[in-house]
Amino acid sequence: MGHDVKVIDYRPSYLATYEPKFGWRQVVSRHIGTLRKRWNTYSYWRRIYEGYMTFKEREMIMTPPVLTPEEFEKVSIQFDCIVVGSDQIWNPNFNGNDTVWFGGHSSPNIKMIAYGASAGNPSNLMKIYDLTNKLNRFSAISVREPELSIALSKYVDSCFIQNVLDPSLLADNSVWEKWIEPIEKGDYILTYQARESNDVFRIAESLAEQLKCSGIIPVDFYGNVEALGYKSRITSPSEFISLVKNARCVVTTSFHGTAFSIILGTPFYTIRLNDGADNRSAGLLESLGLLSRMIDYTDTPTFSKVEFDKTNSKLTLLRASSLEFLTSSLV
């Protein structure tokens, strides 16, 4: 869009993942019999960490690490506009009660925009924060879920709250395609849990049998993966994109597992767990005419393809509306 962009590398202590380390203290200060297990655990998390750090360094223009709100304030003065977003930034369970996510610790001369903000249960947000004071710091606000825009509208005088796409859906396929390559031999079902459920693997096994796939590849770290006899695949973000694209089918309890299946045109089933956290995926699927791809955790689906041509037409319209929000907000 013609703007010079940097990502503020904000790493508050309540949120940051720290670099896994294994030094001489771990060798000499603990029982030698556990050394192999501890080394394997370290190696496992080290490969995950390096995959993400390498991707970030190669693909993103970052500021130096920003560790505290005070450091954020110093870094922020170089910008004309700061866009905050999106996943769970206003959820009190995750955001450390940090005012940075509400435009705090930034100069009043800097334009603040919220893109695709989400907050979990809106009622929790309204109980904890003085929203009138916090939200009116923004010159433009958009949120991801319709129920959140309704809940927040009464607190905002400065602007209209718009519903927009999750940022992963804002980018067209050309952004993602550069990372796609065949990194796995044979046909497979991909599983991706954002909430743990053994039924994900029961359904995946059924689909693998129907599609004559050689195996199931999980790409999350829940305990049921190993307990059920599977092994999590360690992936960088780019490898995750490739694995989703090349899967015969994705079985997921994750909003972003659903979103990337749609983006990459991979058949999928989103599992409804009826735990109060299904609304994000259901709302997306309903807006794209794909609600039939959400199935109850007790179901055993007969595999069917997805008519992505119809989906893409609807996605194009929603994407145009979301881009218009950014275009007008950045004027």
Side-chain angles (χ1 to χ4, degrees):
M1 298 170 70
H3 302 285
D4 294 325
V5 179
K6 282 187 178 179
V7 176
I8 299 177
D9 192 8
Y10 188 43
R11 306 185 193 181
S13 60
Y14 62 84
L15 192 61
T17 297
Y18 293 98
E19 181 178 2
K21 294 182 178 179
F22 195 93
W24 65 269
R25 291 181 184 275
Q26 284 76 21
V27 176
V28 302
S29 64
R30 299 184 184 181
H31 195 280
I32 193 68
T34 65
L35 179 60
R36 180 184 292 274
K37 183 178 181 180
R38 284 185 281 119
W39 174 259
N40 288 340
T41 300
Y42 160 77
S43 299
Y44 177 78
W45 289 108
R46 183 76 198 182
R47 291 198 303 275
I48 296 169
Y49 180 86
E50 288 180 347
Y52 277 81
M53 293 302 105
T54 300
F55 180 88
K56 184 175 73 169
E57 291 165 8
R58 188 179 64 230
E59 304 291 349
M60 302 168 73
I61 303 171
M62 312 290 293
T63 67
V66 177
L67 306 181
T68 66
E70 290 72 27
E71 290 182 13
F72 181 92
E73 186 170 2
K74 293 177 182 178
V75 167
S76 71
I77 60 174
Q78 67 183 279
F79 299 104
D80 301 305
C81 176
I82 294 175
V83 182
V84 298
S86 67
D87 198 30
Q88 308 294 342
I89 59 164
W90 292 342
N91 188 333
N93 294 328
F94 300 112
N95 70 3
N97 199 23
D98 190 342
T99 60
V100 162
W101 306 113
F102 292 98
H105 295 274
S106 60
S107 166
N109 298 323
I110 299 171
K111 178 180 285 191
M112 297 296 301
I113 296 171
Y115 182 86
S118 70
N121 188 333
S123 63
N124 293 336
L125 180 69
M126 292 183 283
K127 289 176 185 176
I128 292 174
Y129 298 117
D130 175 5
L131 291 174
T132 300
N133 182 50
K134 292 188 180 301
L135 295 179
N136 282 293
R137 171 65 181 89
F138 293 93
S139 63
I141 298 174
S142 62
V143 298
R144 200 170 58 186
E145 289 84 37
E147 62 269 22
L148 183 58
S149 64
I150 294 169
L152 297 184
S153 291
K154 62 183 177 182
Y155 298 99
V156 179
D157 300 322
S158 58
C159 60
F160 170 75
I161 299 179
Q162 182 173 327
N163 289 111
V164 293
L165 289 173
D166 182 84
S168 62
L169 292 153
L170 193 61
D172 64 33
N173 284 358
S174 64
V175 172
W176 309 109
E177 286 175 351
K178 64 181 178 180
W179 294 310
I180 295 171
E181 56 182 318
I183 60 174
E184 184 70 27
K185 295 180 180 179
D187 291 340
Y188 59 90
I189 305 295
L190 190 78
T191 63
Y192 183 39
Q193 300 176 105
R195 294 118 71 211
E196 188 175 12
S197 171
N198 291 351
D199 287 291
V200 166
F201 296 98
R202 178 185 59 79
I203 292 168
E205 289 285 3
S206 173
L207 292 168
E209 184 176 350
Q210 293 177 49
L211 296 172
K212 297 180 171 55
C213 292
S214 57
I216 292 170
I217 299 178
V219 285
D220 61 70
F221 311 110
Y222 283 102
N224 66 339
V225 175
E226 186 174 341
L228 294 172
Y230 303 99
K231 185 177 181 181
S232 288
R233 174 70 175 266
I234 296 173
T235 67
S236 67
S238 55
E239 290 170 334
F240 174 79
I241 298 297
S242 289
L243 286 170
V244 172
K245 174 63 178 179
N246 293 307
R248 289 293 306 278
C249 186
V250 173
V251 181
T252 185
T253 59
S254 160
F255 173 87
H256 286 104
T258 302
F260 276 101
S261 297
I262 294 167
I263 291 165
L264 299 168
T266 302
F268 67 95
Y269 290 96
T270 301
I271 310 304
R272 181 188 288 110
L273 297 183
N274 301 315
D275 59 357
D278 296 314
N279 290 343
R280 290 191 300 159
S281 294
L284 172 63
L285 293 171
E286 185 173 19
S287 70
L288 297 175
L290 290 173
L291 201 52
S292 63
R293 304 307 293 193
M294 176 172 262
I295 62 172
D296 194 80
Y297 69 95
T298 61
D299 290 346
T300 305
T302 300
F303 176 78
S304 61
K305 295 182 179 180
V306 181
E307 295 185 26
F308 281 112
D309 288 343
K310 294 180 180 179
T311 300
N312 290 337
S313 297
K314 294 179 180 179
L315 181 56
T316 298
L317 293 174
L318 293 172
R319 185 177 287 147
S321 175
S322 298
L323 285 169
E324 173 57 29
F325 167 81
L326 275 181
T327 301
S328 61
S329 300
L330 289 166
V331 172

